[in-house]
Amino acid sequence: MKKFINAVDQVENQMIQGMVKAYPKHLRKLDCGNVVVRAEKKEGKVALISGGGSGHEPAHGGFVGEGMLDAAVAGAVFTSPTPDQILEGIKAIATDKGVLMVVKNYTGDVMNFEMAAEMAEMEGITVKHVVTNDDVAVDGSLYTVGRRGVAGTVFVHKIAGALAETGADLDAVQSVAQKVIDNVRTMGAAIAPCTVPAAGKPGFELNEDEMEVGIGIHGEPGTHKESMRTADEVADLLLDKILADIDYSGSEVAVMINGSGATPLMELFIINNHVADVLAEKGIKVYRTLVGEYMTSIEMQGFSISLLKLDDQMKELLDAKADTPAWKE
Amino acid sequence: MKKFINAVDQVENQMIQGMVKAYPKHLRKLDCGNVVVRAEKKEGKVALISGGGSGHEPAHGGFVGEGMLDAAVAGAVFTSPTPDQILEGIKAIATDKGVLMVVKNYTGDVMNFEMAAEMAEMEGITVKHVVTNDDVAVDGSLYTVGRRGVAGTVFVHKIAGALAETGADLDAVQSVAQKVIDNVRTMGAAIAPCTVPAAGKPGFELNEDEMEVGIGIHGEPGTHKESMRTADEVADLLLDKILADIDYSGSEVAVMINGSGATPLMELFIINNHVADVLAEKGIKVYRTLVGEYMTSIEMQGFSISLLKLDDQMKELLDAKADTPAWKE
């Protein structure tokens, strides 16, 4: 294992500290652990919290700030944060308007966030949550029941975060978050695995002519291996499954071409070139495109495509002001 | 070679098209080749053009837009754009106030940009240029005479671009660009090479316990190999050379921890954690920090540290409004 790290047991802590030191105007780290909150708490709004294992940077700490999240909780790499840790985050950001948790659908995350919510409710804080499940690759896996929550989660942060910023109430913010979840689908593929520092070896192996299709975001293998193909063919493979899952015809969409950590922008743009053409051909109008790293798997070489079917409310909120380390409008 | 591409001879073209399709409100591609300009030309300002070989994404097309560049010219991967191509870019953006070329110090780039400027002058366009040379690793190499221009170039785009946007004249914009060049230094290291698509094999080889120190941005080996060390030790190695080159003591700086393409943000933040501590210890005040991919080498696993010594003018321009695909303020 060859990485720019100091010690396996310091990875998460030093990373979070390095992030907060890079963006002191945006972020503050709680003393109690790897929880990042806005440098200045904003009252009078629903407070949004998200998080999960580390290794998905810039998610989730990079999306803390005006117009997006109020707190991000970072567990060990690819490991759910503890209920205590999540509770500290909730308590640090809670307002009279309540707290919305945006949880990716993985068994550990869902369990720990729900437990934290119960503990917070006992302290008089109103907490609701949504569970993202945008990955069309698998319906149930080793890690979760139902579809997994992956890169589409970032659209939930952006759109629900923008509505929360206007002072909307908890039901409204939860409702728009759920609308995003209902309308976003994602699928990914990879040509090289990543190595969890504490494991010291890659999560799977691939031959030179193979790729993993249907990857999640925790370094696990995909649904199956296939022979390596051209970028356009891989994009078609993923798009076909996404487009079969929701009827996008005639609609406007936001597209996210999300790099898994080690895929150069060059390749992500080549993929977008084809995705844009295919959508145009099918009469699906692209309203916005995001190309880059939003929800990574450390240094996995891969990408995912997300399509979010938009309505006027989501379009407006997607474009609303945001000022976070990783998303600015 | 395993990449998400379609054909080696289509890499640059499909990438540029995919970039422009992702950001149609910001970018337009000229019909004549891989030249990206602002979607809407702005008159009444000095026009800024930069570029070089492809493979450095988001540089340079990602920095075209309000407050930064007016055009970016993309040659083949790690290959200088041709004078004709640069000339087309200059002609597309030229205004009454003249054109400033921001050129990285590589023999091919300098020669071709200068030739294009001569051709443009013959057509009545006033063109000046600056040459960036921030890399303290080498003074002269296979590729250039004098120090190489690397990631620090992006500070020149940002600061000179911001001044140009105010309507300042060509001498003033050239002068502030040169001030940035005089005050920025960079050095990098890598733990894995990248593969130029047309070459089909990595630019160098490294054992599991080795790293390349003093890498450039064209996939070439660094100045020498060293045994792999901790992130903090590698950062110290680079910082020591940077800090020995300019007297930063007592000054305010902008820090850029620039990923080479395949280095996860996790590692860049761990590096920043130490860089911030070392600078604090030395009494050098960090005014701004940028962590991410600004000037890459396709999928090289490496990073560079840049330190820009700031004055009040540079601070104001660094923070001025920018609206480009890869840098927003």
Side-chain angles (χ1 to χ4, degrees):
Chain A
M1 178 176 65
K2 211 172 177 184
K3 290 177 184 279
F4 292 115
I5 61 174
N6 292 301
V8 165
D9 62 356
Q10 289 298 312
V11 162
E12 296 86 354
N13 179 44
Q14 292 183 346
M15 173 186 67
I16 294 289
Q17 289 198 55
M19 185 187 283
V20 172
K21 285 174 190 168
Y23 306 106
K25 286 182 188 160
H26 294 84
L27 307 178
R28 185 170 67 84
K29 180 184 171 302
L30 297 188
D31 293 334
C32 62
N34 291 329
V35 182
V36 168
V37 299
R38 293 192 194 185
E40 288 181 37
K41 180 178 174 180
K42 187 168 172 190
E43 297 289 349
K45 71 179 284 288
V46 171
L48 259 72
I49 184 167
S50 192
S54 293
H56 304 305
E57 296 69 31
H60 297 273
F63 301 119
V64 171
E66 187 186 348
M68 293 187 77
L69 301 176
D70 295 272
V73 188
V77 173
F78 299 161
T79 303
S80 181
T82 64
D84 283 350
Q85 205 183 350
I86 301 166
L87 178 64
E88 291 300 328
I90 291 173
K91 284 162 65 177
I93 62 168
T95 69
D96 292 349
K97 301 208 108 179
V99 174
L100 182 71
M101 307 190 302
V102 179
V103 186
K104 297 190 300 298
N105 191 30
Y106 291 93
T107 306
D109 281 4
V110 172
M111 198 172 67
N112 290 356
F113 272 89
E114 283 181 353
M115 206 175 295
E118 280 171 31
M119 285 154 35
E121 296 271 2
M122 287 193 288
E123 301 195 22
I125 302 170
T126 306
V127 183
K128 296 201 170 191
H129 74 278
V130 292
V131 178
T132 68
N133 62 351
D134 49 314
D135 189 349
V136 299
V138 288
D139 196 2
S141 75
L142 267 179
Y143 301 86
T144 190
V145 178
R147 291 195 317 244
R148 300 174 292 201
V150 290
T153 305
V154 182
F155 283 125
V156 182
H157 298 162
K158 179 63 183 73
I159 289 174
L163 186 63
E165 208 75 33
T166 66
D169 67 23
L170 185 54
D171 284 342
V173 177
Q174 184 187 31
S175 163
V176 81
Q178 189 58 50
K179 183 160 70 173
V180 176
I181 294 168
D182 293 342
N183 285 284
V184 67
R185 296 293 184 272
T186 299
M187 189 163 160
I191 53 179
C194 64
T195 297
V196 174
K201 60 179 178 34
F204 54 84
E205 284 183 17
L206 280 171
N207 293 329
E208 183 57 31
D209 61 345
E210 283 178 334
M211 61 177 177
E212 283 284 344
V213 178
I215 50 159
I217 54 170
H218 294 107
E220 72 269 39
T223 52
H224 61 288
K225 290 182 179 16
E226 290 199 19
S227 297
M228 190 59 200
R229 310 194 198 171
T230 67
D232 289 1
E233 287 166 343
V234 180
D236 282 336
L237 187 72
L238 306 182
L239 265 182
D240 283 351
K241 278 212 84 161
I242 292 168
L243 293 172
D245 207 76
I246 298 188
D247 183 10
Y248 288 93
S249 56
S251 63
E252 285 190 86
V253 296
V255 177
M256 179 183 283
I257 311 293
N258 173 59
S260 302
T263 309
L265 266 175
M266 171 185 279
E267 296 173 33
L268 300 181
F269 284 129
I270 289 172
I271 290 155
N272 184 58
N273 183 47
H274 186 65
V275 169
D277 288 351
V278 171
L279 295 177
E281 219 167 80
K282 292 188 186 291
I284 299 169
K285 192 180 164 199
V286 176
Y287 176 75
R288 275 284 296 270
T289 304
L290 301 149
V291 179
E293 293 180 349
Y294 291 86
M295 180 76 75
T296 61
S297 304
I298 326 180
E299 80 287 10
M300 184 174 284
Q301 256 183 289
F303 71 98
S304 62
I305 302 174
S306 299
L307 289 193
L308 168 62
K309 186 173 169 173
L310 293 163
D311 63 10
D312 287 345
Q313 185 195 25
M314 287 189 276
K315 278 157 64 172
E316 193 185 323
L317 294 169
L318 185 62
D319 292 347
K321 184 171 189 331
D323 184 10
T324 75
W327 190 323
K328 290 188 185 184
E329 290 286 337
Chain B
M1 178 176 65
K2 211 172 178 184
K3 288 176 185 281
F4 292 115
I5 61 173
N6 292 299
V8 165
D9 62 356
Q10 289 298 312
V11 162
E12 296 87 352
N13 180 42
Q14 292 183 345
M15 172 186 70
I16 294 288
Q17 289 198 54
M19 184 188 284
V20 172
K21 285 173 190 168
Y23 306 106
K25 286 182 187 160
H26 294 85
L27 307 179
R28 185 168 68 82
K29 179 185 172 300
L30 298 187
D31 294 333
C32 62
N34 292 328
V35 182
V36 168
V37 299
R38 293 193 194 185
E40 288 180 38
K41 180 177 173 179
K42 186 167 173 191
E43 298 288 348
K45 72 180 280 290
V46 171
L48 259 74
I49 184 168
S50 192
S54 292
H56 304 305
E57 296 69 32
H60 298 274
F63 301 119
V64 171
E66 186 186 347
M68 292 186 78
L69 302 176
D70 294 271
V73 188
V77 174
F78 299 160
T79 304
S80 182
T82 64
D84 283 352
Q85 205 183 349
I86 301 165
L87 178 64
E88 291 300 328
I90 291 173
K91 284 162 66 175
I93 61 168
T95 69
D96 291 349
K97 301 209 108 177
V99 174
L100 182 71
M101 308 189 303
V102 179
V103 186
K104 296 190 301 299
N105 192 30
Y106 291 95
T107 307
D109 282 4
V110 172
M111 197 173 68
N112 290 357
F113 272 88
E114 282 182 353
M115 206 176 297
E118 280 171 31
M119 284 155 35
E121 295 270 2
M122 287 193 288
E123 300 195 24
I125 302 170
T126 306
V127 183
K128 297 200 170 189
H129 74 277
V130 292
V131 178
T132 69
N133 62 351
D134 49 314
D135 189 351
V136 298
V138 288
D139 195 3
S141 75
L142 267 180
Y143 301 86
T144 191
V145 178
R147 291 196 315 245
R148 302 174 291 200
V150 290
T153 305
V154 181
F155 282 125
V156 182
H157 298 163
K158 178 65 184 73
I159 289 174
L163 186 64
E165 209 74 33
T166 67
D169 68 23
L170 185 52
D171 283 342
V173 177
Q174 183 187 32
S175 162
V176 82
Q178 189 59 50
K179 183 161 69 174
V180 176
I181 294 169
D182 292 343
N183 285 285
V184 66
R185 296 293 186 272
T186 299
M187 190 161 159
I191 54 178
C194 63
T195 297
V196 175
K201 60 179 177 40
F204 54 82
E205 284 181 19
L206 280 172
N207 293 328
E208 184 56 32
D209 60 345
E210 284 177 334
M211 62 177 177
E212 282 283 343
V213 177
I215 50 160
I217 55 170
H218 293 106
E220 71 269 39
T223 52
H224 61 287
K225 290 182 179 17
E226 291 200 19
S227 297
M228 189 60 199
R229 310 195 199 171
T230 66
D232 288 1
E233 288 166 343
V234 180
D236 282 336
L237 188 72
L238 306 182
L239 265 183
D240 283 351
K241 277 212 83 161
I242 292 168
L243 293 172
D245 207 77
I246 297 187
D247 183 9
Y248 288 93
S249 55
S251 62
E252 284 189 88
V253 296
V255 177
M256 179 183 284
I257 311 293
N258 172 59
S260 302
T263 308
L265 266 175
M266 171 186 279
E267 296 173 31
L268 300 181
F269 284 130
I270 289 172
I271 291 156
N272 185 58
N273 183 47
H274 186 65
V275 170
D277 288 350
V278 171
L279 294 177
E281 218 168 83
K282 291 186 187 294
I284 299 169
K285 192 180 165 200
V286 176
Y287 176 75
R288 274 284 296 270
T289 304
L290 301 149
V291 178
E293 293 181 349
Y294 291 86
M295 180 76 75
T296 62
S297 303
I298 326 179
E299 80 287 9
M300 185 174 283
Q301 256 183 288
F303 72 98
S304 62
I305 301 173
S306 299
L307 289 192
L308 169 62
K309 185 173 170 173
L310 293 163
D311 63 11
D312 288 343
Q313 184 194 27
M314 287 189 275
K315 278 158 62 173
E316 192 185 324
L317 294 169
L318 185 63
D319 292 346
K321 184 173 189 331
D323 184 9
T324 75
W327 191 324
K328 290 187 186 185
E329 291 287 337

